[in-house]
Amino acid sequence: MKQPIYLGHVRSHYVPKNKLQKAISDYIDTLDGVAFPADKLPEVKKEISAKIEALNKEHKRSTPVIPDFYSYKDSSWKSTKEKKITCHLHGIQSIDFVFIKGILEL
């Protein structure tokens, strides 16, 4: 049985410019390597946005971070029927984070 999943992946780190960026980067690091069923992606995005909103309130002196997600399809992956979908998290200057779609074979 094959189950579609997403895997969180930190692609790179940058020097955080303030305590808010550092706190968000530390939180996003906890999502690195975490896999979940593909149908849970909207819930995970909401959780990330809620956590970032809470960190914005905690670090009021910093310019608030507004997370933004976008996805794209890579048609060169496997076949034209199956497309690799990558979901990027933008708006955070201190870390480059993506969700990579994959298949879990049970």
Side-chain angles (χ1 to χ4, degrees), residues 43 66 69 84:
E43 294 172 30
I66 301 170
F69 295 92
K84 183 177 181 180

Side-chain angles (χ1 to χ4, degrees), residues 5 7 15 18 29 31 43 46-47 50 58 64 73 83 89 105:
I5 62 167
L7 175 70
V15 177
N18 56 41
D29 272 338
L31 302 173
E43 294 172 30
K46 286 180 186 176
E47 288 175 20
E58 186 178 323
K73 295 180 181 182
K83 298 187 183 337
L89 173 59
E105 294 196 24

Side-chain angles (χ1 to χ4, degrees), residues 23-34:
I24 292 171
S25 180
D26 289 347
Y27 166 66
I28 297 297
D29 272 338
T30 66
L31 302 173
D32 188 33
V34 175

